[in-house]
Amino acid sequence: MSSRMAYIFIMCYNGGSVIFGVTNQKFGRGVIVKKLYQNRELSWLRFNERVLEEAEDERNPLCERLTFMSIYQTNLDEFFMVRVGSLHDQMLLEDDPKENKTNMSASKQLEAIRDRVRELGIRKDESYHRLMKEVEKKGVKIAQFSELAEEEGQFLHDYFQREILPLLSPYTISKKRPFPFIKNKEICATALLETKSGKNRYGIVPCSNGMFSRLIEIPNNRGTYMLAEELILHFLGEVFTGYNIASKSLVRVTRNADIDADKVYDEELNYRDHMAEVIKLRRKLEPVRLEYTRDIDKKIVKSVANFFKIDKEMIFLTNAPLDMSFVFDIEDSLRHDKENFFEKKVPQKPACLDISKPILPQVLEKDKLLSYPYESINPFLKMLKEAANNPNVVSIKMTLYRLAKQSEVVSALVDAAENGKEVDVLVELKARFDEENNIGWSRTLENAGCNVIYGLDGLKVHSKLCLITMKQDKEVVYVTQIGTGNYNEKTARLYTDLSLMTADQKIGAEAARVFNALSMGDVMKRTEHLLVAPKCLQNKVIDKIDREIQIAKDGGEGYIGVKINSLTDKKIIDRLIEASRAGVKVDMVVRGICCLIPGIKDETENIRIISIVGRFLEHSRIYIFGKGEREEMYIGSADFMTRNTVRRVEVATPIYDPDIKNRLRDMFNLLMSDNVKAREMGKDGNYTYVEHAKPAVNAQETFYEEAYKAVES
């Protein structure tokens, strides 16, 4: 009995992350904790901390650091709207369900999130004020009223009276005047009001109605501005006349945006109209966070929190502006100095294509790979436009998830339909926060004569798939495009993504089956070439990991290389742990959430995980299994998250062309060699910059240099 080994699951809290793992305990001896998992939400907060690091990194130009500061805040807003909103809903369930990696209940996760957000909030405030001191040295300043000269204060007073006060809608709260509806993320000035008789009331004024400029420049002091909400707060006494302002602050509420469109489905409406109603409903969901800017009378905070039914622990004091979007206006005023920004980079013509010639024939001859943003999306757009006008093209089929506001993709599809092509388009109306845009595009496509469908019951269609079907010499010929990113010309300049264009007929035939299944409201249950979630991706990935495990056990060299945005799928995580135990080398580039802890002796010591957060958003997905002749390589739309692998329709394609395989392998190896923007996860779950023991390697900058050189040569 004393020699037997027992495995006990242990949960511990470590440096802001809850880490869950296996304890290998020999009876009668000490306990060795082996931390293998970390909580998804806390891992995401670590990702956003890396974004904040970019705002703090003095190697980045000043205005780019301002952008990262704004991204940090908008990321956190969305985190509260979606993830905290979801946890809040779960907590209301009777059993307060636990997640499957750290065994934390929803309430415990919310508690840990709250504590971590407070820590990061202090750091964010300090970083913001340091940044603004640097901005001031460049001649731009966000002023406080106390810093202004008398004549400047008089100008602002006159401006307030003339331009702002007539447009405000102030409210005093009483039994007959209940609290007004406050929109999501709307900044409001609030005050504790005292009457002459000594009674207290609360006043609130929405400050962001869009009818006046948020940045108010002060004449004769060029480059000096005041935020409109600060001006309103300063002159609040002139809004609530007849009262004494006992205490005042700016406040902002964040509302839950996590709503299951299928659960609230209204059968009286068509699906598109139903989604329009869902968007309206989301705007009225309960708040999950309250932020305020002054250490004000606790009565005000309590009153506002009680009205919104916000847990007092979800109230956060900040010493920075509640909305950072104004920094983009500051950046515009500093554009004259190129040193304030990254050196301008323009997506290049891909070396694999001659864009002076038609694209379709070149793809029919040999597979082509585009790498955004280093190479332009234009060759794909050109191919789509060619297909719209090619008499041999019979049909075009596409899945659309997120589109640009001015979409050339939609324009090409409309042209195709008007030219008599059969155009089948799946527009995913449940693409969160893009629903309104997609509803509008779906109407445009439908009006042009395209066949438009809206996805599957209970499943989002997240794949990036385009199939062009041609009739040549009485034969059906497929040209297929499969990508890792959306058909969005704007994000193709900001996100790193991959796009394969192939005339491989086996891939094309299987893509045709995917579209046939979607059109009939079904999913693929068997595939030979493509990986297609929800039925044919997770299981196939696990099978390929198992193959590497067996090879390692047989004395061979097992290898797995993965580049994804997030890793949360426990079935895949557990197989990766098993692979590491068997001696399989696992290299991973995981930009965001990562619930697997590497580097644990005898468990995950063969796994290396890095995260690259830099100038461009890392968004491409690459899966590599094996080395040498048995190497298999895929690119696709799916992260290794349960929502992607079993709850969405995702498509990954094999790479069969040897030249493209070589190129992707080189790209992956370069990413793993990054020692400028890469942070490596340690066995404690913390990330540290990769040490500069070698010459500096910034993968993103290197990819752009290679793209420029390829055009020059």
Side-chain angles (χ1 to χ4, degrees), residues 82 258-259 261-262 271 275 282 401-402 426 428-433 435 454-463 518 523 533-534 643-644 646-650:
V82 178
D258 187 62
I259 184 168
D262 292 326
Y271 195 72
M275 285 304 303
R282 176 194 285 157
Y401 193 74
R402 297 190 195 276
L426 188 146
E428 181 51 77
L429 298 187
K430 292 180 288 186
R432 200 188 305 271
F433 306 125
E435 297 97 337
Y454 306 117
L456 306 180
D457 293 341
L459 296 173
K460 282 187 181 181
V461 179
H462 188 250
S463 57
L518 290 172
V523 297
R643 74 178 189 187
N644 298 95
V646 298
R647 296 178 192 152
R648 290 183 175 182
V649 176
E650 306 272 10

Side-chain angles (χ1 to χ4, degrees), residues 269-333:
L269 300 172
N270 69 41
Y271 195 72
R272 186 168 58 200
D273 291 341
H274 161 69
M275 285 304 303
E277 292 301 314
V278 166
I279 295 167
K280 294 178 184 177
L281 180 61
R282 176 194 285 157
R283 293 170 183 154
K284 300 176 183 178
L285 292 181
E286 288 187 356
V288 293
R289 174 179 63 162
L290 173 68
E291 300 167 278
Y292 66 106
T293 63
R294 307 295 196 280
D295 195 7
I296 55 173
D297 192 305
K298 296 300 183 284
K299 292 179 182 178
I300 297 182
V301 178
K302 184 178 179 181
S303 176
V304 175
N306 286 343
F307 170 76
F308 287 120
K309 299 179 182 177
I310 295 177
D311 187 320
K312 65 179 181 179
E313 300 298 338
M314 285 298 174
I315 301 173
F316 300 88
L317 173 64
T318 178
N319 291 315
L322 295 169
D323 180 337
M324 297 280 189
S325 59
F326 70 90
V327 302
F328 297 108
D329 292 324
I330 290 177
E331 290 175 15
D332 287 342
S333 67

Side-chain angles (χ1 to χ4, degrees), residues 53 141 181 209 217 225 234 237 252 276 292 331 366 368 403 416 433 481 492 518 522 578 627 636 652 682 710:
E53 284 177 354
K141 180 179 180 179
F181 177 79
N209 57 20
E217 187 170 18
Y225 300 87
H234 183 81
R252 180 175 181 255
Y292 66 106
E331 290 175 15
K366 181 178 169 58
K368 308 296 180 185
L403 293 161
F433 306 125
Q481 182 274 339
L518 290 172
D522 202 357
E578 189 176 336
K627 287 193 171 185

Side-chain angles (χ1 to χ4, degrees), residues 541-543 545-546 549 560 569-581 586:
V541 167
I542 288 173
D543 287 345
I545 296 173
D546 285 345
I549 291 172
I560 298 166
D569 186 315
K570 191 170 185 297
K571 287 187 177 180
I572 293 178
I573 289 173
D574 287 345
R575 251 349 180 271
L576 291 171
I577 293 170
E578 189 176 336
S580 175
R581 289 172 182 156
V586 182

Side-chain angles (χ1 to χ4, degrees), residues 202-226:
Y202 302 105
I204 192 163
V205 186
C207 298
S208 46
N209 57 20
M211 290 187 285
F212 44 79
S213 174
R214 187 163 176 224
L215 271 184
I216 302 165
E217 187 170 18
I218 299 170
N220 303 321
N221 197 346
R222 187 174 180 180
T224 301
Y225 300 87
M226 176 165 278

